[in-house]
Amino acid sequence: EAGVTQFPSHSVIEKGQTVTLRCDPISGHDNLYWYRRVMGKEIKFLLHFVKESKQDESGMPNNRFLAERTGGTYSTLKVQPAELEDSGVYFCASSGEATQETQYFGPGTRLLVL
Amino acid sequence: QKEVEQDPGPLSVPEGAIVSLNCTYSNSAFQYFMWYRQYSRKGPELLMYTYSSGNKEDGRFTAQVDKSSKYISLFIRDSQPSDSATYLCAAIKAAGNKLTFGGGTRVLVKP
């Protein structure tokens, strides 16, 4: 069974540009989460989808971040326009319908904003 | 105050030794407690989780939770060089959706 996949693995952009990250969850997992780790800090929750619906976006830092999950399959996280403080590692995780405590993580996308 | 605190290490042990890792937490609402292992430039890998207080064993790994003292532990027996990684503890509320992580402890097992 394939795990959570993320694309791209790395992205280097300039301040003010737009970047879109993609996450493909484990097949059949209704729950999809985005987390972020900025330099020197712990991994922090950004938002949670149940199928195509945003269940909780309390961790989104500001309105420059837009997450979508059309069709309830893969998800995208767009940062527009990117700022220096957006640099970090963005992780996606997924879990089954009734098992939110067992979240399986992808390899992450390393974003560097110059 | 961070909700989950973890000593960053590094923790260096000789091969075969027992690795002892721990975290403390402050939110009494946390009910599930997880340990993740993360190799360099990889994503966190779920090792095991426990519900409420108690012990759980899986091979060389034992997780303990003491809710009265808000203390989470992970023990790795017969440590191997391949156990060298960063270990992250995390917690979640019952019926919750967001994991709250500690900062991670770097472990180095020397051959």
Side-chain angles (χ1 to χ4, degrees), chain A residues 21-93:
Chain A
L21 314 181
R22 172 171 169 145
C23 168
D24 286 78
I26 293 171
S27 177
H29 278 188
D30 288 337
N31 294 289
L32 186 150
Y33 315 82
W34 284 97
Y35 291 82
R36 177 175 75 168
R37 183 167 197 165
V38 297
M39 183 72 74
K41 302 283 189 179
E42 62 275 13
I43 297 172
K44 287 200 169 175
F45 170 85
L46 295 178
L47 87 159
H48 169 213
F49 283 99
V50 178
K51 297 184 180 177
E52 66 275 9
S53 300
K54 289 178 188 173
Q55 184 76 15
D56 180 354
E57 50 183 331
S58 61
M60 294 287 261
N62 51 61
N63 59 10
R64 294 185 294 103
F65 289 75
L66 175 64
E68 295 179 324
R69 193 182 182 195
T70 307
T73 54
Y74 70 92
S75 174
T76 58
L77 179 64
K78 181 191 289 188
V79 185
Q80 179 181 30
E83 298 288 344
L84 301 180
E85 63 265 24
D86 301 333
S87 296
V89 184
Y90 290 77
F91 292 106
C92 176

Side-chain angles (χ1 to χ4, degrees), chain A residues 10 33 35 37 42-43 45 48 56 58 91 100-107 110, chain B residues 2 32 34 36 38 41-44 46 49 88 92 96-99 101-103:
Chain A
H10 297 79
Y33 315 82
Y35 291 82
R37 183 167 197 165
E42 62 275 13
I43 297 172
F45 170 85
H48 169 213
D56 180 354
S58 61
F91 292 106
Q100 294 197 70
E101 64 275 7
T102 50
Q103 298 182 20
Y104 297 93
F105 281 71
R110 281 151 188 82
Chain B
K2 294 179 183 177
Y32 292 88
M34 297 77 183
Y36 284 82
Q38 187 176 19
R41 323 270 307 161
K42 302 289 186 183
L46 181 63
Y49 75 96
L88 301 152
I92 191 170
N97 60 349
K98 61 185 80 169
L99 293 172
F101 280 89

Side-chain angles (χ1 to χ4, degrees), chain B residues 40-51:
Chain B
S40 180
R41 323 270 307 161
K42 302 289 186 183
E45 172 194 359
L46 181 63
L47 283 176
M48 54 199 305
Y49 75 96
T50 54
Y51 171 70

